[in-house]
């Protein structure tokens, strides 16, 4: 494990400090260097720091005269020994998985900065902060700098809620004596990084106390420093990113306007000097057409500050009502999504077929086309009336993904562009499972997604799509470094339970899998079957018996084979087992595990697929590294649920909302 250094600047936070430090020491990632910088605290914070250092060898303490937040962070940086470094303010606190999650993202994606979302806390909440299924994005340092000057400014500006390679901070210091030290510094570190990973998971809690720098009202000096930081950002991008001069100058204008109003309110004679600064910034902004309106407003304010300020106040007062009207309008005009789905099969009974069936059911009220390589029999072959199913052999889609040789060149460069025009429709979403045909060059769509389905994508394939749609967080290694989004398939309820034809033991363990090699856990089943305290009911297809199974499993006294159970029979087996046991080593999603989360008393499995969602731990789940030793007593203590668990995060409605959010068509 790589050492992670945690720098904690501390000043007058005696009441909040234990929660902060306890959250760091309780991290699931243990290889830490915790540097507590007592910045001349007048309260008992320094004594608390010494107590933590005496109790835990990972903790180091620096006592110094008050030098401000910049001075405290700089002192901590001088002592950093870790490969990674992160910063936590003394009154904030971390989710227990903060370090492990960000280190995992940094290592998996080979990125130099890993970033998470943070929650603004204005009071002391009773519990922790949780997020929905996270999305993961990979960016270059240039892209991160671009977002820094966009709507995600605050996410990129604050120094905490990020894990940095320590080497990025070489020669870098926070500015002494400045209040908005993050705004002077973080953007430079971001731009040094070659790759940055961002997760939407909320792992950092950012307390804004009424008496703190961030929680209290802005002062004149605070606004002065903020404007100076914006000016420093403008100077920086003028030298290396001329395309960002417009957004940077626009931000500086807003800071200068706020500073001037504060100076006027305080009757400060420096107000006139700020108007001169504002005129110079507006002159620069005029050269950027996309910001011309801001430039004109700034020039008008510089010439007639009082009446323009009055007009700006009136405009600001009207904005909440305007936003409320816009929200109501969006809610009343929700439209159907136009979706093109590419799949290997329609029908059948496997995970891929079930995924397609559940997606189509979730989009039953939308405008959906499906292109399939083969049609199979079975209940999953039935689709909603609004769904149109096409064969890949149809002229509109024939060989759309073929790209080999002269024939491939003609299809990709001539036939597909012609077909995309003749179709005359543009889809909101193209959703392709890896087994489905490649249609992206033959159809136009606002967003294109590919689902790896448990197989690693090549960079060439992943790069053709807007996002790699991961079915579970641990699928990140399948994405080949492409942009990713979490999109768990919708979990439809199984039909009414019906007892299987075979006689069942009064108590049993349940497992459901076809043994396509060791990855599905056949070796582990061999290990467990003799030691299990209860008989094991193994559901699989009839073809399983045609595989080269060990003879000991074919007729084992502690193993009952149930071939090709119908969905209602499966539900009965889940609801009446003592626990569901998954022996699988890897899953793209894990449909049988997801069903067990809904219906079974308990689940025993490795941390794979659907179980890597934090929400899954609200169910009785025992995560194991292997099956040499299993806590059978824990299994026996779990009670059957009175009714199926809700699992709202896997609902059809949640799936559709995620698709709508991706296309900007969310209600």
């Amino acid at each position: 494990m790589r050492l992670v250094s945690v720098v904690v600047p501390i000043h007058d936070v005696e009441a909040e400090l234990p929660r902060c430090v306890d959250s760091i020491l309780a991290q699931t990632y243990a290889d830490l260097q915790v540097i507590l910088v007592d910045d001349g605290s007048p309260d008992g914070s320094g004594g608390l720091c010494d107590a933590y250092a005496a109790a835990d060898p990972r903790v180091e303490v620096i006592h110094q005269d008050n030098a401000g937040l910049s001075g405290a962070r700089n002192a901590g940086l001088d002592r950093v020994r870790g490969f990674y470094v992160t910063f936590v303010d003394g009154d904030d606190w971390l989710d227990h998985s903060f370090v492990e999650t960000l280190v995992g993202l940094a290592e998996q994606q080979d990125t130099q900065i890993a970033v998470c979302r943070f929650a603004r806390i204005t009071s002391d909440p009773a519990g922790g902060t949780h997020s929905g299924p996270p999305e993961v994005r990979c960016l270059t340092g240039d892209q991160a700098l671009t977002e820094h000057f966009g709507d995600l400014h605050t996410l990129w500006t604050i120094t905490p809620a990020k894990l940095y390679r320590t080497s990025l901070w070489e020669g870098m210091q926070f500015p002494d004596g400045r209040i908005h030290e993050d705004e002077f510094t973080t953007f430079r570190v971001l731009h040094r990084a070659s790759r940055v990973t961002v997760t939407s998971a909320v792992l950092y809690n950012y307390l804004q106390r009424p008496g703190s720098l961030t929680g209290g009202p802005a002062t004149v000096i605070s606004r002065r420093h903020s404007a100076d930081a914006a000016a420093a950002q403008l100077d920086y991008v003028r030298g290396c990113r001329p395309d960002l001069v417009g957004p940077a100058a626009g931000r500086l204008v807003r800071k200068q306007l706020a500073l001037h109003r504060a100076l006027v309110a305080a009757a400060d004679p420096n107000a006139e000097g700020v108007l001169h600064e504002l005129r110079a910034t507006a002159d620069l902004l005029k050269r950027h057409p996309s910001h011309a309106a801001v430039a004109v407003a700034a020039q008008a304010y510089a010439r007639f500050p009082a009446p323009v300020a009055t007009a700006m106040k009136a405009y600001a007062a009207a904005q909440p009502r305007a936003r409320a009207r816009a929200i109501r309008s969006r809610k009343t005009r929700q439209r159907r999504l136009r979706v093109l789905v590419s799949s290997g099969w329609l029908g059948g009974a496997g995970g891929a077929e079930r995924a397609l069936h559940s997606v189509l059911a979730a989009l039953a009220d939308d405008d959906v086309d499906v292109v399939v390589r083969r049609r199979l029999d079975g209940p999953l072959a039935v689709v909603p009336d609004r769904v149109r199913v096409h064969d890949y052999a149809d002229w509109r889609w024939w060989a759309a993904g073929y790209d080999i040789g002269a024939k491939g060149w003609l299809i990709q460069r001539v036939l597909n562009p012609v077909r995309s025009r003749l179709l005359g429709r543009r889809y909101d979403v193209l959703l392709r499972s890896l087994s489905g045909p490649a249609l992206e060059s033959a159809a136009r769509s606002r967003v294109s997604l590919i689902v790896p389905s448990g197989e690693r994508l090549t960079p060439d394939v992943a790069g053709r799509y807007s996002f790699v749609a991961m079915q579970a967080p641990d699928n990140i290694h399948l994405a080949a470094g492409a942009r990713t989004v979490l999109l768990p398939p919708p979990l439809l309820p199984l039909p009414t339970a019906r007892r299987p034809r075979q006689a069942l033991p009064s108590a049993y363990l349940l497992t459901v899998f076809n043994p396509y090699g060791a990855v599905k856990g056949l070796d582990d089943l061999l290990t467990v079957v003799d030691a299990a305290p209860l008989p094991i009911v193994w559901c699989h297809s009839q073809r399983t018996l045609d595989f080269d199974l060990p003879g000991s499993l074919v007729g084992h006294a502690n193993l009952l084979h149930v071939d090709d159970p119908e969905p209602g029979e499966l539900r009965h087996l889940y609801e009446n087992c003592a626990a569901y046991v998954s022996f699988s080593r890897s899953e793209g999603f894990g449909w049988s595990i997801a069903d067990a989360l809904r219906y079974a008393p308990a689940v025993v499995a490795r941390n794979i697929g659907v179980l890597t969602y934090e929400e899954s731990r609200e169910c009785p789940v025992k995560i194991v590294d292997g099956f040499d030793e299993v806590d059978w007593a824990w299994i026996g203590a779990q009670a059957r649920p009175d009714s199926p668990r809700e699992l709202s995060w896997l609902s059809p409605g949640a799936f559709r909302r995620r698709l709508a959010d991706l296309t900007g068509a969310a209600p």
Side-chain angles (χ1 to χ4, degrees), residues 18 69 191 301 432 437 562:
L69 186 54
H191 201 216
Y301 183 95
R432 177 196 171 192
V562 177

Side-chain angles (χ1 to χ4, degrees), residues 259-397:
L259 173 60
H260 181 264
R261 290 196 295 270
L263 290 170
V264 169
D268 192 308
N270 293 312
E272 186 61 32
V274 174
L275 287 181
H276 289 298
E277 296 174 18
L278 181 60
R279 292 188 191 101
T281 309
D283 288 341
L284 175 63
L285 200 57
K286 281 194 304 184
R287 305 170 197 170
H288 298 270
S290 60
H291 295 79
V294 177
V296 170
Q299 288 176 321
Y301 183 95
R303 183 170 295 183
F304 309 107
V308 174
T310 301
M312 291 172 66
K313 284 183 181 179
Y315 175 79
Q319 287 308 294
R321 291 192 296 272
R323 282 194 293 269
R325 285 196 300 270
I327 291 171
R328 287 195 298 270
S329 176
R330 284 198 299 271
K331 287 183 176 180
T332 58
R333 66 171 188 267
Q334 177 183 354
R335 64 178 180 83
R336 294 204 302 263
L337 292 175
R338 302 176 75 175
V339 182
L340 175 61
V341 180
S342 172
S343 179
W345 306 272
L346 174 66
E353 296 92 330
R354 186 172 173 189
L356 173 62
H357 180 71
S358 67
V359 165
L360 297 183
L363 301 176
D365 294 327
D366 293 296
D367 189 2
V368 182
D369 286 288
V370 183
V371 179
V372 296
R373 296 185 187 274
R374 293 180 58 195
R375 302 192 195 211
L376 305 174
D377 295 330
L380 298 185
V382 179
V383 300
D385 293 339
R386 186 171 284 162
V387 174
R388 296 175 295 275
V389 181
H390 311 275
D391 293 319
Y392 187 41
D394 188 287
W395 73 270
R396 288 169 291 185
W397 310 109

Side-chain angles (χ1 to χ4, degrees), residues 19-338:
R19 178 177 57 193
C20 171
V21 180
D22 289 345
S23 75
I24 298 170
L25 298 179
Q27 289 293 298
T28 54
Y29 189 100
D31 199 4
L32 303 175
Q33 175 199 18
V34 183
I35 305 170
L36 305 181
V37 185
D38 172 24
D39 189 40
S41 294
D43 59 4
S45 297
L48 286 174
C49 292
D50 292 334
Y52 276 110
D56 194 316
R58 297 176 296 173
V59 178
E60 304 173 16
V61 180
I62 299 172
H63 294 287
Q64 65 179 30
D65 293 336
N66 182 233
L69 186 54
S70 287
R73 285 179 176 168
N74 290 336
L77 274 173
D78 290 341
R79 292 273 287 270
V80 163
R81 292 183 283 106
F83 183 81
Y84 295 109
V85 62
T86 188
F87 299 85
V88 183
D89 288 346
D91 52 358
D92 298 340
W93 69 100
L94 305 177
D95 181 89
H96 68 280
S97 64
F98 171 87
V99 176
E100 182 179 17
T101 300
L102 295 191
V103 168
L105 289 174
E107 298 287 330
Q108 291 164 6
Q109 299 289 344
D110 190 26
T111 54
Q112 295 163 302
I113 302 177
V115 184
C116 70
R117 294 278 186 169
F118 62 90
R120 293 180 186 269
I121 310 297
T122 55
S123 61
D124 191 359
T129 303
H130 301 282
S131 65
E135 299 175 2
V136 177
R137 299 185 297 131
C138 292
L139 299 85
T140 65
D142 266 339
Q143 290 170 328
L145 189 63
T146 300
E147 289 197 358
H148 176 277
F149 289 97
D151 293 337
L152 297 177
H153 169 69
T154 304
L155 172 71
W156 293 111
T157 295
I158 68 167
T159 302
K162 298 174 179 66
L163 183 84
Y164 310 85
R165 281 196 194 174
T166 304
S167 58
L168 293 175
W169 287 90
E170 290 180 4
M172 192 73 69
Q173 292 273 290
F174 292 94
D176 288 329
R178 294 288 194 170
I179 294 177
H180 289 267
E181 66 292 324
D182 292 354
E183 296 180 32
F184 285 93
T185 311
T186 311
F187 71 95
R188 303 176 193 271
V189 181
L190 282 175
H191 201 216
R192 283 185 171 187
S194 57
R195 282 170 60 82
V196 181
T197 300
V198 189
T199 174
S200 63
V202 179
L203 304 175
Y204 189 97
N205 296 287
Y206 179 27
L207 182 64
Q208 294 187 295
R209 296 176 295 141
S212 68
L213 291 174
T214 56
T219 63
V220 170
I221 189 65
S222 170
R223 294 195 183 280
R224 175 73 268 178
H225 289 187
S226 183
D228 290 346
Q233 293 174 14
L234 176 58
D235 287 342
Y236 183 85
V237 298
R238 290 179 75 176
C240 64
R241 286 289 303 276
D243 58 307
L244 294 179
V245 167
R251 176 168 298 157
L252 177 55
V253 162
R254 291 189 289 274
K255 303 279 189 181
Q256 290 169 334
L257 287 170
L259 173 60
H260 181 264
R261 290 196 295 270
L263 290 170
V264 169
D268 192 308
N270 293 312
E272 186 61 32
V274 174
L275 287 181
H276 289 298
E277 296 174 18
L278 181 60
R279 292 188 191 101
T281 309
D283 288 341
L284 175 63
L285 200 57
K286 281 194 304 184
R287 305 170 197 170
H288 298 270
S290 60
H291 295 79
V294 177
V296 170
Q299 288 176 321
Y301 183 95
R303 183 170 295 183
F304 309 107
V308 174
T310 301
M312 291 172 66
K313 284 183 181 179
Y315 175 79
Q319 287 308 294
R321 291 192 296 272
R323 282 194 293 269
R325 285 196 300 270
I327 291 171
R328 287 195 298 270
S329 176
R330 284 198 299 271
K331 287 183 176 180
T332 58
R333 66 171 188 267
Q334 177 183 354
R335 64 178 180 83
R336 294 204 302 263
L337 292 175
R338 302 176 75 175

